[in-house]
Amino acid sequence: DAWSQVGQPERAHALLNEMLEQYERTRNEQLKPNVITYSTVIHAYAVSKLPDKAVKAQALFRDMMARKIKTNTITTNALLNACATSEPSKEVFQMLKGVYQAIVRANQADHFTFGTVLKACTNFFPNGDGSFATQVFEEACRRGQVSAGVVHQLRHAVPSDVYFDLVGDLSETGGEVPDEWRRNVREFRRRKRFRAPN
């Protein structure tokens, strides 16, 4: 986790490879990489500035699948984030779209999923082509996964007129997302990191 926190995904990836080699050699279960290990390295790529981070994150994701390591929403959302924050390209957008559709089909999309895909729409369609973003937002509404973060990302992903057509005037509700839209949102608060006393 330390290498992922300081933006050195290659070092985190090298450590993962070392764990895999050690596990293969010794069959020591304590050395066997798991969903947390892989998710951490995928996240490290997602927050890095590497130009090929989406491709590397997807390769790790595929390796997980080949090793029959069960993924979770943290893993898939990290992969989506690697795509969302990459340099726009047709290949990366198709990758993002494929991962997103698979998550939705598996009924594993949460509000982070929808917010991340909307963030990608802002990155990939800076001129405001809101058609895909509109579909994503409408799916989030159907699933009750519209958090304040999803609305914020939508605001940047679509032209103003489309935004107001979709959400109306939220000032009438004090800025609150309608209950029906957020009925399944589970907010997670980050744990405060322990700090040693001075």
Side-chain angles (χ1 to χ4, degrees), residues 49-68:
K49 296 186 183 331
L50 294 175
D52 60 346
K53 63 184 177 178
V55 172
K56 289 185 176 186
Q58 185 185 44
L60 277 169
F61 186 80
R62 287 183 174 162
D63 186 51
M64 280 181 78
M65 303 298 283
R67 294 177 187 277
K68 298 188 182 357

Side-chain angles (χ1 to χ4, degrees), residues 71-128:
T71 63
N72 60 27
T73 54
I74 294 169
T75 315
T76 53
N77 286 341
L79 178 55
L80 285 173
N81 196 37
C83 295
T85 57
S86 290
E87 286 295 317
S89 74
K90 186 176 181 178
E91 176 190 21
V92 174
F93 181 69
Q94 290 305 319
M95 184 188 313
L96 172 114
K97 200 170 180 182
V99 172
Y100 165 71
Q101 290 170 341
I103 295 168
V104 169
R105 275 193 310 272
N107 203 27
Q108 294 180 335
D110 64 8
H111 64 105
F112 293 111
T113 306
F114 294 109
T116 302
V117 175
L118 289 170
K119 177 171 63 172
C121 290
T122 302
N123 183 25
F124 283 81
F125 307 110
N127 297 329

Side-chain angles (χ1 to χ4, degrees), residues 93 96-97 100 104 111 113-119 121 130-143 145-146 150 154 166:
F93 181 69
L96 172 114
K97 200 170 180 182
Y100 165 71
V104 169
H111 64 105
T113 306
F114 294 109
T116 302
V117 175
L118 289 170
K119 177 171 63 172
C121 290
S131 57
F132 183 62
T134 298
Q135 293 171 18
V136 171
F137 181 73
E138 288 171 345
E139 187 65 35
C141 290
R142 276 191 293 280
R143 292 174 181 269
Q145 290 288 353
V146 179
V150 170
L154 176 70
L166 290 168

